[in-house]
Amino acid sequence: LDPLDAEIDAADRGSMIHEALDVFVKAHPDTLPANALDQLLKTGRKIFAAYDEHPEVKAFWWPRFERIAAWFIDHERERRASGIKVLQAEAKGRMNIGHFTLKGRADRIDTLPDGTLAITDYKTGGVPSQKEVKAGYEPQLPLLALIAEHGGFDKVGKTAVMELAYWKLSGGRDVAKEFPINEPVAKLAEEARAGLEQLTEKFSDPATPYQAVPKPRLQPRFDDYAHLARLAEWGRTGEDE
């Protein structure tokens, strides 16, 4: 369990923003109310209220959310006016790959005017680059597309995914921006599947070691499991030898 007096961090801010947008989109899946911005801010206040004892939230995080909310409503109106409809928010999906089950959660799945799908991931921190996605180092969105195309999301059915995008929501000087993945989605999804199948086959072999940091240059900035390897405690560098 986290300590009772734990400091809040960027992950908490991201969770709060995700939750506010999720609640709002689920409440208004078809049409936006005339006072949409007021409604989103009202939702945000309820969620941010859980952190009232942290003055930095009110002083720094709330103004950022206000700017994000204004951008989000404007962007949402443009999308819906173009015929894009929200299909699901915080959608959970799954599919079987061999003896393994692939699970994923999409921040939102929209239906495009031609009936195909668009999957969006909200990012309050860094956004993966096009090269990282194409090379398979950031397979989240391609794997979500794979699940969708195989009918792994409830109420979605087997539908082709034509658009993948990250929405960077910082609330800072550059309030927000959409980063579409400029690669054929079907190709990315199949490559992600091939890579995952290769991994599952390799790690199904009892002789395969589970290395803590198999590729140091590509390890994620945040790793919930790094402490299990006790690298900081037992690791040695060239200077130690």
Side-chain angles (χ1 to χ4, degrees):
L1 297 176
D2 294 330
L4 294 176
D5 58 347
E7 294 292 329
I8 55 176
D9 55 22
D12 294 305
R13 177 165 61 89
S15 297
M16 294 159 65
I17 294 173
H18 275 70
E19 183 179 357
L21 299 181
D22 174 42
V23 171
F24 175 82
V25 170
K26 286 181 177 177
H28 307 286
D30 299 320
T31 59
L32 294 178
N35 62 340
L37 179 57
D38 291 338
Q39 290 295 321
L40 178 52
L41 292 175
K42 181 179 179 181
T43 299
R45 290 189 188 95
K46 292 180 180 178
I47 294 169
F48 275 66
Y51 295 84
D52 281 346
E53 69 275 15
H54 298 278
E56 63 269 33
V57 171
K58 184 176 182 180
F60 299 107
W61 292 9
W62 177 252
R64 283 177 176 263
F65 178 75
E66 288 181 310
R67 292 190 286 269
I68 290 171
W71 178 91
F72 184 85
I73 294 300
D74 288 342
H75 195 56
E76 196 71 7
R77 289 195 189 282
E78 292 178 4
R79 288 175 65 82
R80 299 195 186 196
S82 69
I84 298 175
K85 299 179 180 179
V86 178
L87 187 58
Q88 281 200 43
E90 284 292 306
K92 295 181 180 180
R94 59 189 293 162
M95 66 175 288
N96 294 325
I97 296 182
H99 298 293
F100 291 81
T101 299
L102 171 64
K103 297 180 181 180
R105 182 174 61 186
D107 285 338
R108 64 185 291 164
I109 301 177
D110 296 342
T111 302
L112 299 174
D114 63 359
T116 58
L117 303 179
I119 299 180
T120 301
D121 188 46
Y122 304 142
K123 290 291 187 185
T124 54
V127 175
S129 68
Q130 298 279 345
K131 290 183 178 179
E132 289 174 326
V133 175
K134 184 177 180 180
Y137 298 133
E138 292 288 345
Q140 177 189 2
L141 285 179
L143 287 175
L144 289 173
L146 182 67
I147 294 174
E149 291 177 350
H150 285 77
F153 289 100
D154 292 338
K155 301 178 182 178
V156 175
K158 295 182 179 181
T159 309
V161 180
M162 296 302 294
E163 293 184 8
L164 299 175
Y166 296 103
W167 291 5
K168 182 175 175 59
L169 309 172
S170 68
R173 180 176 299 177
D174 297 324
V175 177
K177 186 177 180 180
E178 181 175 354
F179 290 88
I181 304 301
N182 299 320
E183 290 288 334
V185 177
K187 179 174 178 290
L188 288 176
E190 283 307 311
E191 289 176 349
R193 175 173 188 157
L196 183 58
E197 288 177 340
Q198 183 179 4
L199 282 176
T200 56
E201 181 179 355
K202 184 177 181 63
F203 283 97
S204 293
D205 182 356
T208 301
Y210 282 71
Q211 299 177 359
V213 187
K215 296 181 179 180
R217 291 185 303 166
L218 301 175
Q219 64 177 319
R221 292 177 57 197
F222 304 101
D223 187 348
D224 291 335
Y225 303 97
H227 68 286
L228 297 176
R230 304 175 72 176
L231 291 177
E233 180 178 353
W234 298 107
R236 299 185 57 161
T237 64
E239 297 178 355
D240 298 326
E241 297 178 354

